[in-house]
């Protein structure tokens, strides 16, 4: 908080047409924490008053041109100078109407010539003390106002913190609910399969465990366990991201080879769901990336296309643009509204209106965070009913 008010000196103005009178009066009223300004005419005094805030003006009554009373009348007619206390200096033998005119124009007091040093000092000290008290009051008011604003800011911050805490609690509860729901489905399937197999064993029906049936059982179990592992991995990655412990370990990698392998691995799953995957490699791009994390991003984009692609062909392209690798995954499915495009990369967000089970709503969020960890980004170009194109842009090397 500024303390300028506290340390401001009291400014005093003395006005007299005679230089010796100005020097003598200044010598009397000079003191600590005071600034004294001199003016030899009413016009010069007014000019100084427009530039400075004075604690007191000491005006000689009898000056050529504009006298002290005329100057006082002008001061009382101007907002900036209206409240300056005035002390007139006049001859002791002056007529009483001088005093009457002075009070009419707002004078506070009179000093009579010849000046009595102690009386002058005493009067000036009173006005200086009053001025310093006003400054102290202003300082205290400013301090109170500053404190009030600080308290208001603190209350607002506390309210924001409380809102964020409530939002975090609600998100936690929603997260736990989603996790429980998503894990229950594969667990229920596994549980029912185990119950069925136990029943068959209890009945001695070993024919139910023929080679073809065992293959189907193992494949079904593998899918359910893979689904649970994916959910657990997503939760772990979310924790790492939130704690700032998401690690990237770049190695020399051929991106074309990685894409060819991933598309080949996912082809059976895609064909079973009625999809055709078309991979077009324009440039066999090589660079330094974290192979495991990059695989996470690409698999997420491909499975996302199969989730919303309406069993239409999926196009994957790879090319190099200067010092960046560009991977685009295009589906011909339901598309994404402009509003949804602004939030699908947030945690726990899913597109409105889709009937597809999409896990915890963490896939694109984690993919986006992994892309940023590689100093890259994921963008989307889509419109409802026209499909979507997700583009992964990666620098060839991560810079320090």
């Amino acid at each position: 908080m500024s303390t300028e008010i506290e340390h401001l000196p009291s400014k005093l103005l003395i006005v007299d047409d005679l230089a010796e009178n100005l020097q003598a009066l200044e010598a009397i009223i000079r003191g600590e924490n005071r600034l004294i300004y001199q003016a030899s005419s009413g016009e010069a005094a007014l000019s100084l008053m427009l530039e400075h805030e004075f604690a007191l003006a000491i005006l000689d009554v009898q000056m050529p041109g504009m006298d002290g009373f005329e100057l006082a009348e002008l001061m009382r007619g101007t907002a900036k100078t209206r409240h300056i206390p005035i002390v007139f200096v006049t001859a002791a033998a002056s007529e009483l109407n001088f005093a009457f005119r002075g009070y009419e124009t707002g004078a506070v007091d009179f000093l009579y010539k010849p000046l009595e040093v102690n009386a002058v000092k005493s009067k000036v000290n009173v006005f200086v003390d009053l001025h310093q008290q006003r400054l102290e009051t202003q300082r205290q008011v400013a301090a109170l106002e500053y404190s009030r604003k600080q308290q208001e800011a603190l209350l607002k911050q506390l309210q924001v913190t409380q809102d964020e805490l409530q939002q975090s609690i609600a998100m936690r509860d929603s997260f736990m609910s989603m996790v429980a729901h998503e894990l229950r489905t594969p667990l229920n399937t596994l549980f029912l399969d185990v119950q069925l197999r136990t029943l068959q064993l209890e009945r001695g029906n070993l024919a139910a465990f023929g080679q073809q049936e065992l293959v189907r059982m193992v494949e079904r179990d593998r899918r359910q366990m893979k689904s649970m592992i994916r959910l657990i991995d997503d939760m772990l990655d979310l924790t790492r991201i939130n704690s700032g412990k998401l690690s990237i370990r770049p190695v020399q990698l051929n991106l074309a080879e990685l894409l060819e392998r991933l598309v080949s691995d996912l082809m059976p799953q895609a064909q079973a769901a009625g999809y055709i995957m078309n991979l077009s490699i324009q440039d066999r791009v090589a660079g330094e990336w974290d192979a495991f994390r990059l695989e996470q991003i690409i698999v997420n984009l491909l499975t996302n296309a199969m989730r919303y692609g309406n069993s239409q062909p999926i196009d994957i392209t790879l090319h190099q643009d200067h010092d960046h690798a560009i991977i685009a995954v295009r589906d011909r499915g339901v598309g994404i509204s402009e509003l949804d495009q602004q939030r699908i990369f947030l945690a726990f967000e899913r597109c409105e209106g889709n009937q597809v089970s999409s896990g915890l709503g963490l896939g694109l969020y984690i993919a986006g965070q992994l892309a940023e960890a590689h100093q890259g980004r994921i963008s989307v170009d889509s419109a409802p009913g026209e499909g979507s194109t997700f583009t992964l842009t990666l620098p060839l090397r991560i810079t320090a």
Side-chain angles (χ1 to χ4, degrees):
M1 183 184 67
S2 175
T3 56
E4 291 181 0
I5 293 177
E6 181 180 3
H7 300 292
L8 283 177
S10 295
K11 296 180 179 180
L12 307 177
L13 175 64
I14 53 178
V15 185
D16 198 305
D17 61 302
L18 298 177
E20 58 269 25
N21 290 346
L22 291 173
Q23 293 174 1
L25 186 53
E26 180 172 349
I28 295 173
I29 66 175
R30 186 183 299 121
E32 186 179 355
N33 205 26
R34 300 178 185 179
L35 291 177
I36 300 173
Y37 293 78
Q38 297 182 6
S40 58
S41 67
E43 291 80 0
L46 285 174
S47 178
L48 286 172
M49 290 179 196
L50 294 176
E51 296 178 11
H52 304 279
E53 296 288 341
F54 288 104
L56 176 66
I58 303 176
L59 312 180
D60 183 51
V61 170
Q62 294 180 321
M63 292 186 297
M66 184 188 301
D67 64 25
F69 293 136
E70 292 172 332
L71 174 57
E73 288 174 356
L74 289 175
M75 288 171 61
R76 295 308 182 217
T78 304
K80 184 173 177 61
T81 59
R82 183 176 297 147
H83 303 293
I84 299 176
I86 298 172
V87 172
F88 287 114
V89 177
T90 185
S94 300
E95 296 180 0
L96 291 178
N97 67 327
F98 273 168
F100 179 75
R101 285 185 60 196
Y103 282 107
E104 274 188 334
T105 54
V108 173
D109 211 338
F110 278 80
L111 290 172
Y112 295 96
K113 298 177 181 179
L115 296 177
E116 201 281 309
V117 173
N118 290 332
V120 174
K121 286 184 175 181
S122 177
K123 289 182 183 292
V124 172
N125 287 342
V126 169
F127 289 110
V128 170
D129 289 344
L130 287 173
H131 181 255
Q132 287 298 320
Q133 289 174 13
R134 284 197 301 272
L135 290 180
E136 175 63 17
T137 300
Q138 292 176 21
R139 187 196 67 79
Q140 293 178 358
V141 169
L144 287 172
E145 178 64 16
Y146 177 80
S147 177
R148 183 187 67 79
K149 289 182 179 180
Q150 288 292 93
Q151 290 178 352
E152 286 182 352
L154 180 59
L155 286 174
K156 288 181 181 179
Q157 184 58 46
L158 287 173
Q159 184 63 49
V160 169
T161 302
Q162 184 179 17
D163 292 344
E164 290 176 348
L165 179 60
Q166 291 176 346
Q167 184 179 4
S168 296
I169 293 172
M171 183 176 291
R172 180 204 64 189
D173 293 342
S174 176
F175 176 64
M176 296 303 295
S177 176
M178 284 191 292
V179 169
H181 174 75
E182 294 296 332
L183 284 175
R184 186 182 294 116
T185 300
L187 280 173
N188 283 343
T189 302
L190 283 172
F191 181 72
L192 291 173
D193 281 346
V194 169
Q195 282 187 314
L196 180 60
R197 295 167 199 171
T198 301
L199 180 63
Q200 297 289 4
L201 288 172
E202 288 174 350
R203 292 177 178 177
N205 184 15
L206 298 180
F209 299 96
Q211 182 176 356
Q212 290 184 348
E213 184 58 30
L214 280 174
V215 170
R216 284 195 292 270
M217 288 180 185
V218 170
E219 178 58 26
R220 192 160 56 245
D221 292 348
R222 187 190 66 80
R223 287 198 304 270
Q224 303 309 325
M225 287 186 288
K226 185 177 180 181
S227 178
M228 287 188 287
I229 290 171
R230 179 181 62 82
L231 291 171
I232 293 170
D233 286 342
D234 282 352
M235 288 187 286
L236 290 174
D237 278 339
L238 179 65
T239 302
R240 294 188 187 104
I241 291 168
N242 289 338
S243 63
K245 295 181 179 178
L246 184 66
S247 61
I248 297 295
R249 299 180 177 87
V251 296
Q252 191 65 33
L253 185 66
N254 188 302
L255 201 50
E257 293 177 0
L258 177 65
L259 274 175
E260 289 169 342
R261 177 174 62 80
L262 292 178
V263 170
S264 176
D265 290 346
L266 288 172
M267 192 66 74
Q269 180 182 341
Q271 291 175 346
Y275 286 97
I276 297 174
M277 285 188 174
N278 302 312
L279 175 60
S280 173
I281 296 177
Q282 301 175 22
D283 303 297
R284 301 196 69 81
V285 187
E288 293 181 1
W289 304 286
D290 186 315
F292 175 73
R293 295 303 188 183
L294 204 54
E295 182 173 328
Q296 276 185 273
I297 300 173
I298 297 169
V299 168
N300 182 277
L301 296 180
L302 293 177
T303 54
N304 194 70
M306 286 189 284
R307 187 174 291 126
Y308 300 105
N310 281 347
S311 298
Q312 298 297 311
I314 297 172
D315 298 326
I316 307 105
T317 61
L318 168 66
H319 73 278
Q320 182 172 336
D321 183 9
H322 299 292
D323 56 351
H324 283 77
I326 312 293
I327 299 173
V329 177
R330 180 194 174 205
D331 67 65
R332 295 170 173 80
V334 295
I336 308 170
S337 70
E338 184 175 350
L339 180 62
D340 282 338
Q341 290 177 39
Q342 297 174 9
R343 62 182 185 82
I344 57 174
F345 291 101
L346 301 177
F348 312 118
E349 293 290 349
R350 308 176 188 179
C351 294
E352 294 288 344
N354 76 76
Q355 302 300 318
V356 185
S357 174
S358 52
L360 301 176
L362 291 173
L364 286 176
Y365 170 73
I366 292 174
Q369 294 296 311
L370 291 175
E372 289 183 11
H374 282 85
Q375 299 175 354
R377 64 187 181 90
I378 300 175
S379 59
V380 60
D381 181 18
S382 182
E386 298 181 9
S388 305
T389 300
F390 285 85
T391 302
L392 171 63
T393 303
L394 296 168
L396 299 183
R397 287 169 182 78
I398 300 174
T399 57

